[in-house]
Amino acid sequence: MTLQAIIFDLDGVITDTAHFHYLAWKELADELGVPFDEAFNEQLKGVSRMDSLELILERGNLTMSAEDKERYAAQKNTHYVKLLENLTPTDILPGIAELLTDLKERGLRCALASVSKNAPTVLKALDLLDTFDFVVDAAILKNSKPDPEIFVRACSGLGISVNEAVGIEDAQAGIESINRAGIISVGIGSGLKHADMTLAGTSLLSLGLLDQLYQTIVSRETI
Ligand code: BG6
Ligand code: MG
């Protein structure tokens, strides 16, 4: 078996929009009087907009009508989209452009597995819209990460099986999602559990390293 594709998360892997999500949620949480810090924000990473709002409300012991939830979620999104206005290709995280070029040269494919409905806007700002062979449509997902749905859909979209890919994520929910899909997982950042390999930052990513990880795990499993 050989590695056929790399499946990327977007926010926090391709570019640091995870920080923009943090800023936009923090402003809303402050308005609602709900304590909000980086540690709590970790729980929101990889989680859909409405599920994130539910977690914030739960933390603040707040209840709200469906209409108000829609309004606050839209308010957070407006703030987030505003922050995206300054995004340019220079905001692609270190090592990512090289990895994308290398995998194309080697004939591998790549997919994007982001639960963000703003993913196409972010890809456009980074000039990466045509780079991915398949982008999962966040609007049709039934379940947020850590459910495996998004990574399974990414493999189907590429026409490969889950044991032919490596997935890259910066969130704990994302790592669980990759693992539950039966895909080899790579975590970016610190404090991530259960990843097959964890790297401190994207600059440490290389196709050689991912291929080596894939070969090691596949040969171990076929013994
Ligand atoms: C994920 C982020 O990629 O997308 C989450 O990690 C975010 O923080 C989620 O809530 C949904 O994004 P959006 O852009 O649809 O609100
Ligand atoms: Mg992420």
Coordinates of all heavy atoms in Angstrom, one line a residue, residues 60-141:
G60 N -21.8 29.4 30.5 CA -22.4 30.5 31.2 C -23.7 30.2 31.9 O -24.4 31.1 32.4
N61 N -24.1 28.9 31.8 CA -25.5 28.5 32.3 C -26.6 29.4 31.8 O -27.5 29.8 32.5 CB -25.5 28.6 33.9 CG -24.8 27.4 34.5 OD1 -25.0 26.3 34.0 ND2 -24.0 27.7 35.5
L62 N -26.5 29.7 30.5 CA -27.4 30.6 29.8 C -28.4 29.8 28.9 O -27.9 28.8 28.3 CB -26.7 31.6 29.0 CG -25.8 32.6 29.7 CD1 -25.1 33.5 28.7 CD2 -26.6 33.5 30.6
T63 N -29.6 30.2 28.9 CA -30.5 29.6 27.9 C -31.0 30.8 27.0 O -31.0 31.9 27.4 CB -31.7 28.9 28.5 OG1 -32.3 29.8 29.5 CG2 -31.4 27.6 29.2
M64 N -31.4 30.4 25.8 CA -31.7 31.5 24.8 C -32.6 30.9 23.7 O -32.6 29.7 23.5 CB -30.3 31.9 24.2 CG -30.2 32.8 23.2 SD -28.5 33.1 22.7 CE -27.8 34.1 24.0
S65 N -33.5 31.7 23.2 CA -34.4 31.2 22.1 C -33.6 30.8 20.9 O -32.5 31.3 20.7 CB -35.4 32.2 21.8 OG -34.8 33.3 21.2
A66 N -34.1 30.0 20.0 CA -33.5 29.6 18.8 C -33.2 30.8 17.9 O -32.1 30.9 17.3 CB -34.3 28.6 18.0
E67 N -34.1 31.8 18.0 CA -33.9 33.0 17.2 C -32.7 33.8 17.7 O -31.9 34.3 16.9 CB -35.2 33.8 17.4 CG -35.5 34.9 16.4 CD -36.8 35.6 16.6 OE1 -36.9 36.2 17.7 OE2 -37.7 35.5 15.8
D68 N -32.6 33.9 19.0 CA -31.4 34.7 19.6 C -30.1 33.9 19.3 O -29.1 34.6 19.0 CB -31.6 34.8 21.1 CG -32.5 36.0 21.4 OD1 -32.9 36.7 20.5 OD2 -33.0 36.1 22.6
K69 N -30.2 32.6 19.3 CA -29.0 31.8 19.0 C -28.5 32.2 17.5 O -27.3 32.4 17.3 CB -29.2 30.3 19.1 CG -29.3 29.9 20.5 CD -29.5 28.4 20.6 CE -29.8 27.9 22.0 NZ -30.3 26.5 22.1
E70 N -29.5 32.2 16.6 CA -29.2 32.5 15.2 C -28.6 33.9 15.1 O -27.6 34.1 14.4 CB -30.4 32.4 14.4 CG -31.0 31.0 14.1 CD -30.1 30.1 13.3 OE1 -29.2 30.6 12.6 OE2 -30.3 28.9 13.3
R71 N -29.1 34.8 15.9 CA -28.7 36.2 15.8 C -27.2 36.3 16.4 O -26.4 37.0 15.7 CB -29.6 37.1 16.6 CG -29.4 38.6 16.5 CD -30.6 39.4 16.9 NE -31.0 39.0 18.3 CZ -30.4 39.5 19.4 NH1 -29.4 40.3 19.3 NH2 -30.8 39.1 20.6
Y72 N -27.0 35.7 17.5 CA -25.6 35.8 18.1 C -24.6 35.0 17.2 O -23.4 35.5 17.0 CB -25.6 35.2 19.5 CG -26.1 36.2 20.5 CD1 -27.2 36.0 21.3 CD2 -25.4 37.4 20.7 CE1 -27.7 36.9 22.2 CE2 -25.8 38.4 21.6 CZ -27.0 38.1 22.4 OH -27.4 39.1 23.3
A73 N -25.0 33.9 16.6 CA -24.1 33.1 15.7 C -23.7 34.0 14.5 O -22.6 34.0 14.1 CB -24.7 31.8 15.3
A74 N -24.7 34.7 14.0 CA -24.5 35.6 12.8 C -23.6 36.7 13.2 O -22.8 37.1 12.4 CB -25.9 36.1 12.3
Q75 N -23.8 37.3 14.4 CA -23.0 38.4 14.9 C -21.5 38.0 15.0 O -20.6 38.7 14.5 CB -23.5 38.8 16.3 CG -22.7 40.0 16.9 CD -23.3 40.3 18.2 OE1 -24.5 40.3 18.5 NE2 -22.4 40.6 19.2
K76 N -21.3 36.8 15.5 CA -19.9 36.2 15.6 C -19.3 36.1 14.2 O -18.2 36.4 14.0 CB -19.9 34.9 16.4 CG -18.5 34.3 16.5 CD -18.2 33.3 15.4 CE -16.8 32.8 15.5 NZ -16.4 31.9 14.4
N77 N -20.2 35.6 13.3 CA -19.6 35.3 12.0 C -19.3 36.6 11.2 O -18.3 36.7 10.5 CB -20.6 34.5 11.1 CG -20.0 34.0 9.9 OD1 -18.9 33.4 9.9 ND2 -20.6 34.3 8.7
T78 N -20.1 37.7 11.4 CA -19.8 39.0 10.8 C -18.5 39.5 11.3 O -17.7 40.0 10.5 CB -21.0 40.0 11.2 OG1 -22.2 39.4 10.7 CG2 -20.7 41.3 10.5
H79 N -18.2 39.4 12.6 CA -17.0 39.8 13.1 C -15.8 39.0 12.5 O -14.8 39.5 12.1 CB -17.0 39.6 14.7 CG -15.7 40.1 15.3 ND1 -15.5 40.0 16.7 CD2 -14.6 40.7 14.9 CE1 -14.3 40.5 17.0 NE2 -13.8 40.9 15.9
Y80 N -16.0 37.6 12.5 CA -15.0 36.8 11.9 C -14.7 37.1 10.4 O -13.5 37.2 10.1 CB -15.4 35.3 12.1 CG -14.5 34.3 11.4 CD1 -13.2 34.1 12.0 CD2 -14.8 33.6 10.3 CE1 -12.3 33.2 11.4 CE2 -13.9 32.7 9.7 CZ -12.7 32.5 10.3 OH -11.8 31.7 9.7
V81 N -15.7 37.3 9.7 CA -15.5 37.6 8.2 C -14.8 38.9 8.1 O -14.0 39.1 7.2 CB -16.9 37.6 7.5 CG1 -16.8 38.1 6.1 CG2 -17.5 36.2 7.5
K82 N -15.1 39.9 9.0 CA -14.4 41.2 8.9 C -12.9 40.9 9.1 O -12.0 41.5 8.4 CB -15.0 42.0 10.1 CG -14.5 43.4 10.1 CD -15.4 44.4 9.3 CE -14.7 45.7 9.0 NZ -14.8 46.1 7.6
L83 N -12.5 40.1 10.1 CA -11.1 39.8 10.4 C -10.4 39.1 9.2 O -9.3 39.3 8.9 CB -11.0 38.9 11.6 CG -11.4 39.5 12.9 CD1 -11.4 38.5 14.1 CD2 -10.5 40.7 13.3
L84 N -11.2 38.4 8.4 CA -10.7 37.7 7.2 C -10.3 38.7 6.1 O -9.5 38.3 5.2 CB -11.7 36.7 6.6 CG -12.0 35.4 7.4 CD1 -13.0 34.6 6.6 CD2 -10.8 34.6 7.7
E85 N -10.8 39.9 6.2 CA -10.5 40.9 5.1 C -9.0 41.1 4.9 O -8.6 41.5 3.8 CB -11.2 42.2 5.4 CG -12.7 42.1 5.0 CD -13.4 43.4 5.4 OE1 -12.8 44.4 5.8 OE2 -14.7 43.4 5.4
N86 N -8.3 40.9 6.0 CA -6.8 41.2 5.9 C -6.0 40.0 5.5 O -4.8 40.1 5.4 CB -6.3 41.8 7.2 CG -7.0 43.1 7.6 OD1 -7.2 43.9 6.7 ND2 -7.4 43.2 8.8
L87 N -6.6 38.9 5.2 CA -5.9 37.6 4.9 C -5.4 37.6 3.5 O -6.1 38.0 2.6 CB -6.9 36.5 5.1 CG -6.4 35.1 5.4 CD1 -5.7 35.1 6.8 CD2 -7.5 34.1 5.4
T88 N -4.1 37.3 3.4 CA -3.5 37.2 2.0 C -2.6 35.9 2.0 O -2.4 35.3 3.0 CB -2.5 38.4 1.8 OG1 -1.3 38.2 2.6 CG2 -3.2 39.8 2.1
P89 N -2.1 35.6 0.8 CA -1.3 34.4 0.7 C -0.1 34.3 1.6 O 0.4 33.3 1.9 CB -0.9 34.4 -0.8 CG -2.0 35.1 -1.5 CD -2.4 36.2 -0.6
T90 N 0.3 35.5 2.1 CA 1.5 35.5 3.0 C 1.1 34.9 4.3 O 2.0 34.6 5.2 CB 2.0 36.9 3.2 OG1 1.0 37.7 3.8 CG2 2.6 37.6 2.0
D91 N -0.2 34.7 4.6 CA -0.7 34.1 5.8 C -0.7 32.6 5.8 O -1.2 32.0 6.8 CB -2.0 34.7 6.2 CG -1.9 36.2 6.5 OD1 -1.1 36.6 7.3 OD2 -2.7 37.0 5.8
I92 N -0.3 32.0 4.7 CA -0.2 30.5 4.7 C 0.9 30.1 5.7 O 1.9 30.7 5.7 CB 0.1 30.0 3.3 CG1 -1.1 30.4 2.3 CG2 0.3 28.5 3.3 CD1 -0.8 30.0 0.9
L93 N 0.6 29.2 6.6 CA 1.5 28.9 7.6 C 2.8 28.2 7.0 O 2.8 27.6 6.0 CB 0.9 27.9 8.6 CG -0.1 28.7 9.6 CD1 -0.9 27.7 10.4 CD2 0.7 29.6 10.6
P94 N 3.9 28.4 7.7 CA 5.2 27.9 7.2 C 5.2 26.4 6.9 O 4.6 25.6 7.6 CB 6.2 28.1 8.4 CG 5.5 29.2 9.2 CD 4.1 29.1 9.0
G95 N 5.8 26.0 5.8 CA 5.9 24.6 5.4 C 4.7 24.1 4.6 O 4.8 23.1 3.9
I96 N 3.6 24.8 4.6 CA 2.3 24.3 4.0 C 2.4 24.4 2.4 O 2.1 23.4 1.7 CB 1.1 25.0 4.5 CG1 0.9 24.7 6.0 CG2 -0.2 24.7 3.7 CD1 0.5 23.3 6.3
A97 N 2.9 25.6 1.9 CA 2.9 25.7 0.5 C 3.9 24.7 -0.1 O 3.6 24.1 -1.2 CB 3.4 27.2 0.2
E98 N 5.0 24.5 0.6 CA 6.1 23.5 0.1 C 5.5 22.1 0.1 O 5.7 21.4 -0.9 CB 7.3 23.5 1.0 CG 8.1 24.9 1.0 CD 7.5 25.9 1.9 OE1 6.3 25.8 2.4 OE2 8.2 26.9 2.2
L99 N 4.7 21.8 1.1 CA 4.1 20.5 1.2 C 3.1 20.2 0.1 O 3.1 19.2 -0.6 CB 3.5 20.3 2.6 CG 2.7 19.0 2.8 CD1 3.7 17.8 2.7 CD2 2.1 18.9 4.3
L100 N 2.3 21.3 -0.2 CA 1.3 21.2 -1.2 C 2.0 21.0 -2.6 O 1.5 20.2 -3.4 CB 0.4 22.4 -1.2 CG -0.6 22.5 0.0 CD1 -1.2 23.9 0.0 CD2 -1.7 21.4 -0.1
T101 N 3.1 21.7 -2.8 CA 3.8 21.6 -4.1 C 4.4 20.2 -4.2 O 4.3 19.6 -5.3 CB 4.9 22.7 -4.1 OG1 4.3 24.0 -3.9 CG2 5.7 22.7 -5.5
D102 N 5.1 19.8 -3.1 CA 5.7 18.5 -3.2 C 4.8 17.3 -3.4 O 5.0 16.4 -4.2 CB 6.4 18.2 -1.8 CG 7.7 19.0 -1.7 OD1 8.0 19.7 -2.6 OD2 8.3 18.9 -0.6
L103 N 3.6 17.4 -2.8 CA 2.7 16.3 -3.0 C 2.1 16.2 -4.4 O 1.9 15.2 -5.0 CB 1.6 16.2 -1.9 CG 0.5 17.2 -1.7 CD1 -0.7 16.9 -2.6 CD2 0.1 17.3 -0.3
K104 N 1.9 17.4 -5.0 CA 1.4 17.5 -6.4 C 2.5 16.9 -7.3 O 2.2 16.1 -8.2 CB 1.2 18.9 -6.8 CG 0.1 19.6 -6.1 CD -1.2 19.5 -6.8 CE -2.3 19.9 -5.8 NZ -3.7 19.6 -6.3
E105 N 3.8 17.3 -7.0 CA 4.9 16.8 -7.9 C 5.0 15.2 -7.8 O 5.4 14.6 -8.8 CB 6.2 17.4 -7.5 CG 6.4 18.8 -8.1 CD 7.6 19.6 -7.6 OE1 8.4 19.0 -6.9 OE2 7.7 20.7 -8.0
R106 N 4.7 14.7 -6.6 CA 4.8 13.3 -6.5 C 3.5 12.5 -6.9 O 3.4 11.3 -6.8 CB 5.0 12.9 -5.0 CG 6.5 13.1 -4.5 CD 7.2 11.8 -4.4 NE 6.3 10.8 -3.8 CZ 6.3 10.5 -2.5 NH1 7.1 11.1 -1.7 NH2 5.5 9.5 -2.1
G107 N 2.5 13.3 -7.4 CA 1.3 12.6 -7.9 C 0.3 12.3 -6.8 O -0.6 11.5 -7.1
L108 N 0.5 12.8 -5.6 CA -0.4 12.6 -4.6 C -1.5 13.6 -4.7 O -1.4 14.6 -5.3 CB 0.2 12.7 -3.2 CG 0.9 11.4 -2.6 CD1 2.2 11.2 -3.3 CD2 1.1 11.5 -1.1
R109 N -2.7 13.4 -4.0 CA -3.7 14.3 -4.0 C -4.0 14.9 -2.6 O -3.5 14.4 -1.6 CB -5.0 13.7 -4.5 CG -5.0 13.7 -6.1 CD -6.0 12.8 -6.7 NE -5.7 11.4 -6.3 CZ -6.7 10.5 -6.2 NH1 -7.9 10.8 -6.5 NH2 -6.3 9.3 -5.9
C110 N -4.8 16.0 -2.6 CA -5.0 16.6 -1.3 C -6.5 17.1 -1.2 O -7.1 17.4 -2.2 CB -4.1 17.8 -1.0 SG -4.1 19.1 -2.3
A111 N -7.0 17.0 0.0 CA -8.4 17.4 0.3 C -8.4 18.3 1.5 O -7.5 18.2 2.3 CB -9.3 16.2 0.5
L112 N -9.4 19.1 1.6 CA -9.6 20.0 2.7 C -10.8 19.5 3.5 O -11.9 19.3 3.0 CB -9.9 21.4 2.3 CG -9.8 22.4 3.4 CD1 -8.4 22.8 3.7 CD2 -10.6 23.7 3.1
A113 N -10.6 19.3 4.8 CA -11.7 18.8 5.7 C -11.9 19.8 6.8 O -11.4 19.7 7.9 CB -11.3 17.4 6.3
S114 N -12.6 20.9 6.5 CA -12.9 21.9 7.5 C -14.4 22.0 7.7 O -15.2 22.0 6.7 CB -12.4 23.3 7.0 OG -12.8 24.3 7.9
V115 N -14.8 22.1 9.0 CA -16.3 22.3 9.2 C -16.7 23.8 9.0 O -17.8 24.1 9.3 CB -16.7 21.8 10.6 CG1 -16.3 20.3 10.8 CG2 -16.1 22.6 11.7
S116 N -15.7 24.6 8.7 CA -16.1 26.0 8.5 C -16.8 26.3 7.2 O -16.3 26.0 6.1 CB -14.8 26.9 8.5 OG -15.1 28.2 8.2
K117 N -17.9 27.0 7.3 CA -18.7 27.4 6.1 C -17.9 28.5 5.4 O -18.3 28.9 4.3 CB -20.1 27.8 6.5 CG -20.9 26.6 7.0 CD -22.3 26.9 7.3 CE -23.0 25.6 7.7 NZ -23.8 25.7 8.9
N118 N -16.9 29.1 6.1 CA -16.1 30.2 5.4 C -14.9 29.6 4.7 O -14.1 30.4 4.2 CB -15.7 31.2 6.5 CG -16.8 32.0 7.1 OD1 -17.5 32.7 6.3 ND2 -17.1 31.8 8.3
A119 N -14.8 28.3 4.7 CA -13.6 27.7 4.1 C -13.3 28.2 2.7 O -12.2 28.6 2.3 CB -13.6 26.2 4.1
P120 N -14.3 28.3 1.8 CA -14.0 28.8 0.4 C -13.5 30.2 0.4 O -12.6 30.6 -0.4 CB -15.4 28.7 -0.3 CG -16.1 27.6 0.4 CD -15.7 27.8 1.9
T121 N -14.0 31.0 1.3 CA -13.6 32.4 1.4 C -12.1 32.5 1.8 O -11.3 33.3 1.3 CB -14.4 33.2 2.4 OG1 -15.8 33.0 2.1 CG2 -14.1 34.7 2.5
V122 N -11.8 31.7 2.8 CA -10.4 31.6 3.3 C -9.5 31.1 2.2 O -8.4 31.7 2.0 CB -10.3 30.8 4.6 CG1 -8.8 30.6 5.0 CG2 -11.1 31.4 5.7
L123 N -9.8 30.0 1.5 CA -9.0 29.5 0.4 C -8.8 30.5 -0.6 O -7.7 30.7 -1.2 CB -9.6 28.2 -0.1 CG -9.6 27.0 0.7 CD1 -10.2 25.8 0.0 CD2 -8.2 26.6 1.2
K124 N -9.8 31.3 -1.0 CA -9.7 32.3 -2.0 C -8.7 33.4 -1.6 O -7.9 33.8 -2.4 CB -11.1 32.9 -2.3 CG -11.2 33.8 -3.5 CD -12.6 34.1 -3.9 CE -12.7 34.9 -5.1 NZ -12.4 36.3 -5.0
A125 N -8.8 33.8 -0.4 CA -7.9 34.9 0.1 C -6.5 34.4 0.1 O -5.6 35.2 -0.1 CB -8.3 35.3 1.6
L126 N -6.3 33.1 0.3 CA -4.9 32.5 0.3 C -4.5 32.1 -1.0 O -3.3 31.6 -1.2 CB -4.9 31.3 1.3 CG -5.2 31.5 2.7 CD1 -5.2 30.2 3.5 CD2 -4.3 32.5 3.4
D127 N -5.3 32.3 -2.0 CA -5.1 31.9 -3.4 C -4.8 30.4 -3.5 O -4.0 29.9 -4.3 CB -3.8 32.7 -3.9 CG -3.9 32.8 -5.5 OD1 -4.9 32.4 -6.1 OD2 -2.8 33.1 -6.1
L128 N -5.6 29.6 -2.8 CA -5.5 28.2 -2.8 C -6.8 27.4 -3.3 O -6.9 26.2 -3.1 CB -5.2 27.7 -1.3 CG -3.8 28.0 -0.8 CD1 -3.7 27.5 0.7 CD2 -2.7 27.4 -1.6
L129 N -7.7 28.2 -3.8 CA -9.0 27.7 -4.2 C -8.8 26.5 -5.2 O -9.6 25.5 -5.2 CB -9.8 28.8 -4.8 CG -11.3 28.7 -4.6 CD1 -11.7 28.3 -3.2 CD2 -12.0 30.0 -5.0
D130 N -7.8 26.6 -6.1 CA -7.7 25.5 -7.1 C -6.7 24.5 -6.7 O -6.4 23.6 -7.5 CB -7.3 26.2 -8.5 CG -8.3 27.1 -9.0 OD1 -9.5 26.9 -8.7 OD2 -7.9 28.2 -9.6
T131 N -6.1 24.6 -5.6 CA -5.0 23.7 -5.2 C -5.6 22.4 -4.7 O -5.0 21.3 -4.9 CB -4.2 24.3 -4.0 OG1 -3.7 25.6 -4.5 CG2 -3.0 23.5 -3.6
F132 N -6.7 22.4 -4.0 CA -7.2 21.2 -3.4 C -8.0 20.4 -4.4 O -8.9 20.9 -5.1 CB -8.1 21.5 -2.1 CG -7.2 21.9 -1.0 CD1 -6.9 23.3 -0.9 CD2 -6.6 21.0 -0.1 CE1 -6.0 23.7 0.2 CE2 -5.8 21.4 0.9 CZ -5.5 22.7 1.0
D133 N -7.8 19.1 -4.5 CA -8.5 18.2 -5.4 C -10.0 18.0 -5.0 O -10.8 17.7 -5.8 CB -7.8 16.8 -5.5 CG -6.4 17.0 -6.0 OD1 -6.2 17.3 -7.1 OD2 -5.4 16.8 -5.2
F134 N -10.2 18.1 -3.6 CA -11.5 18.0 -3.1 C -11.7 18.8 -1.8 O -10.8 18.8 -1.0 CB -11.9 16.5 -2.9 CG -13.3 16.3 -2.4 CD1 -14.3 16.4 -3.3 CD2 -13.6 16.0 -1.1 CE1 -15.7 16.3 -2.9 CE2 -14.9 15.9 -0.7 CZ -15.9 16.0 -1.6
V135 N -12.8 19.6 -1.8 CA -13.0 20.3 -0.5 C -14.4 19.8 0.0 O -15.4 19.9 -0.7 CB -13.1 21.8 -0.8 CG1 -13.5 22.6 0.4 CG2 -11.8 22.3 -1.4
V136 N -14.4 19.3 1.2 CA -15.7 18.9 1.8 C -16.6 20.1 2.0 O -16.1 21.1 2.5 CB -15.5 18.2 3.1 CG1 -16.8 17.7 3.7 CG2 -14.6 16.9 3.0
D137 N -17.8 20.0 1.6 CA -18.8 21.0 1.7 C -19.4 21.0 3.2 O -20.1 20.1 3.5 CB -19.9 20.9 0.7 CG -21.0 21.9 0.8 OD1 -20.9 22.8 1.7 OD2 -22.0 21.9 0.0
A138 N -18.9 22.0 4.0 CA -19.3 22.0 5.4 C -20.8 22.1 5.5 O -21.4 21.7 6.6 CB -18.7 23.2 6.1
A139 N -21.5 22.7 4.5 CA -23.0 22.9 4.7 C -23.7 21.5 4.7 O -24.9 21.5 5.2 CB -23.5 23.7 3.5
I140 N -23.1 20.5 4.1 CA -23.9 19.2 4.1 C -23.6 18.3 5.2 O -24.1 17.2 5.3 CB -23.7 18.5 2.7 CG1 -22.3 18.1 2.5 CG2 -24.2 19.3 1.6 CD1 -22.1 17.1 1.4
L141 N -22.6 18.7 6.1 CA -22.2 17.8 7.2 C -23.3 17.6 8.2 O -24.0 18.6 8.6 CB -21.0 18.4 7.9 CG -19.7 18.3 7.1 CD1 -18.6 19.1 7.9 CD2 -19.2 16.9 6.8

